[in-house]
Amino acid sequence: MISADCHGGGEIHGYRDYLPARLHAEFDTWVAGYEIPYPDLKGDLGPRNWDSDRRLRDLEADGVVAEVIFPNTVPPFFPKPSLTDQPPAANAGDLALRWEGLKAHNRWMVDFCAAAPGRRAGIVQIMLHDIPAAVEEIRWAKEAGLTGGVLLPGTPPGSGLVPMFDYAHYEPLWRVCEELGMPLNHHTGSAAPPAGETDVDKVVFLTEVSWWAHRAFTHLVVSGAMDRHPDLQFVFTEQGTAWIPEETRRLDYYWHRMSTAVGSQEYEWGSELVGRMALKPSEYWARQCHVGASFQRPAEAKLRYQVGVDRVMWGSDYPHKEASHPFSREALQLTYNGIDPVEVAAMVGGNAAKLYGFDLDALAPIAARVGPRVEQVWAPLAPEDIPVGADKCPAFVGVTGVKP
């Protein structure tokens, strides 16, 4: 088991050593006013993000031998304690400080991955306000050993960022990632506009946040990025799986109308764009896209042939509240029982190993010691065997017999 969706970050004071000395005083002022935003970053739970030994113990107890690590803790100098809800920078100086804070996180991530060689693929964070600087950071990350690729931020309305479908603006970014074999990871959260603080605001955010993330696929297709860079790989993580067949069919329908329905509005607006592309959206998906299928549900596993068995990468979302941890063994059994073990092995580990460069031979002894066996995943999960508390995780949604 390789989790393609885990999260981690440094203890907030620990970022100081990764900042230039000239910013230490400013950091001390900033951190003095920082408030930890979430219960799972406080007390005994917080160290799961940065305590290497504890993290290894937790993941091994859950059957997981390696992980792809997205950020979790807020980098220095960011104005709000939520990674998914940051206002635009107030000025150039504010933006420059945030960039230094983000780079501090990246340098912490290098050391954190080095503490467990071959078992962590750290993802490098960038900002889109300065593409040359982002390209330079990506080259540094490749050299430094961050094998998880690049976290591609969203470009929500009101952010002041150039929309992702602007091919010319982002061409240097696509080019360097293809050149270096660095996957572009788009995680749910960053593409949504800032939300308010009322209960209505929060519910709207919760119900729409994945939809905003899905838009990135359309924008990347129409930009021509996938067409011009056929070796560039994209990962859409913690956005669900069921949306993919429907969205690719919907876009294929438009592609067909825009290329054949002479006299239609679709043809008038889209024939030129479609005419310069070699493939349909579903074909770009099959060639270049992957889903970080966090806590995949049984109904989603049934769609695996439509999504592509070789495109699915299971994730536990450790250490988040909704993570399948510490019930990942049961989650796998619930979702993948009765499925060809070769397909299961690909979806829960092999596909991630191929994309992110994990050495399966090196991980095999650990898997033999801690991982679930084929016969354990193959057998259906009895309702009475669902652990207490498992319903916190979406993998168990709708399952009868969950104990109160």
Side-chain angles (χ1 to χ4, degrees):
M1 292 169 63
I2 297 173
S3 174
D5 180 28
C6 285
H7 295 263
E11 192 279 325
I12 197 68
H13 296 87
Y15 282 128
R16 189 179 194 272
D17 292 340
Y18 293 94
L19 288 165
R22 60 182 172 78
L23 294 178
H24 284 177
E26 194 151 8
F27 172 81
D28 294 341
T29 301
W30 174 82
V31 80
Y34 176 82
E35 295 182 5
I36 298 176
Y38 304 118
D40 59 358
L41 288 176
K42 296 179 180 179
D44 182 59
L45 298 177
R48 297 179 301 172
N49 287 277
W50 56 80
D51 184 328
S52 181
D53 292 339
R54 175 175 176 177
R55 192 178 182 101
L56 288 174
R57 289 194 302 271
D58 282 356
L59 292 176
E60 287 187 3
D62 215 26
V64 176
V65 300
E67 58 174 332
V68 180
I69 308 179
F70 288 86
N72 202 32
T73 59
V74 174
F77 306 123
F78 276 58
K80 297 187 68 174
S82 168
L83 283 172
T84 63
D85 185 13
Q86 292 290 336
N91 51 55
D94 179 15
L95 198 61
L97 279 176
R98 294 192 203 184
W99 180 229
E100 291 293 346
L102 214 59
K103 291 195 294 182
H105 169 85
N106 292 339
R107 280 139 188 82
W108 172 87
M109 183 65 78
V110 169
D111 286 348
F112 191 66
C113 291
R119 301 185 66 177
R120 292 173 180 153
I123 292 177
V124 60
Q125 292 192 78
I126 59 171
M127 294 174 72
L128 298 179
H129 70 287
D130 185 337
I131 297 300
V135 168
E136 181 181 350
E137 187 73 357
I138 291 167
R139 290 193 179 280
W140 167 85
K142 178 70 173 183
E143 184 68 23
L146 290 181
T147 58
V150 179
L151 181 57
L152 179 62
T155 56
S159 66
L161 295 169
V162 175
M164 203 177 294
F165 51 73
D166 188 319
Y167 171 82
H169 182 78
Y170 292 107
E171 165 60 10
L173 187 61
W174 314 144
R175 188 169 56 236
V176 72
C177 289
E178 183 181 41
E179 173 196 336
L180 300 178
M182 297 279 272
L184 280 157
N185 304 272
H186 187 62
H187 194 286
T188 191
S190 71
E197 295 298 326
T198 71
D199 55 353
V200 173
D201 291 319
K202 291 176 181 178
V203 168
V204 168
F205 174 84
L206 185 67
T207 56
E208 291 185 348
V209 64
S210 292
W211 175 81
W212 286 101
H214 299 341
R215 295 169 76 237
F217 173 66
T218 304
H219 290 188
L220 290 163
V221 170
V222 301
S223 76
M226 295 182 184
D227 191 72
R228 293 179 174 89
H229 299 281
D231 294 326
L232 187 55
Q233 299 296 303
F234 298 86
V235 186
F236 299 85
T237 298
E238 203 176 327
Q239 304 177 23
T241 304
W243 66 278
I244 297 162
E246 179 181 352
E247 183 66 2
T248 53
R249 282 194 297 266
R250 186 180 75 89
L251 293 177
D252 281 357
Y253 161 80
Y254 276 107
W255 248 241
H256 179 73
R257 292 282 295 169
M258 289 187 288
S259 60
T260 63
V262 178
S264 70
Q265 191 68 68
E266 295 96 327
Y267 186 88
E268 179 183 341
W269 284 357
S271 59
E272 184 177 342
L273 183 148
V274 171
R276 59 178 181 260
M277 292 189 180
L279 304 176
K280 298 184 298 184
S282 61
E283 293 170 330
Y284 288 118
W285 176 273
R287 185 177 74 179
Q288 294 173 252
C289 298
H290 313 257
V291 57
S294 311
F295 31 74
Q296 193 174 31
R297 297 188 292 273
E300 293 174 311
K302 292 177 181 178
L303 300 173
R304 63 192 181 279
Y305 298 122
Q306 297 178 55
V307 176
V309 173
D310 61 336
R311 305 284 107 183
V312 175
M313 302 185 298
W314 172 87
S316 71
D317 198 33
Y318 174 91
H320 282 172
K321 180 184 297 184
E322 65 272 24
S324 59
H325 174 270
F327 312 121
S328 293
R329 298 170 190 273
E330 292 84 0
L332 258 63
Q333 188 179 358
L334 176 68
T335 297
Y336 298 120
N337 73 82
I339 295 178
D340 183 344
V342 174
E343 295 181 359
V344 177
M347 292 187 287
V348 306
N351 294 337
K354 182 177 180 181
L355 182 66
Y356 294 110
F358 290 105
D359 185 339
L360 288 177
D361 290 337
L363 293 172
I366 307 171
R369 174 171 56 86
V370 307
R373 303 189 67 80
V374 170
E375 58 268 23
Q376 294 171 319
V377 178
W378 176 267
L381 182 67
E384 62 268 21
D385 292 333
I386 298 175
V388 174
D391 51 342
K392 75 181 179 68
C393 174
F396 295 91
V397 167
V399 179
T400 58
V402 175
K403 299 176 184 178

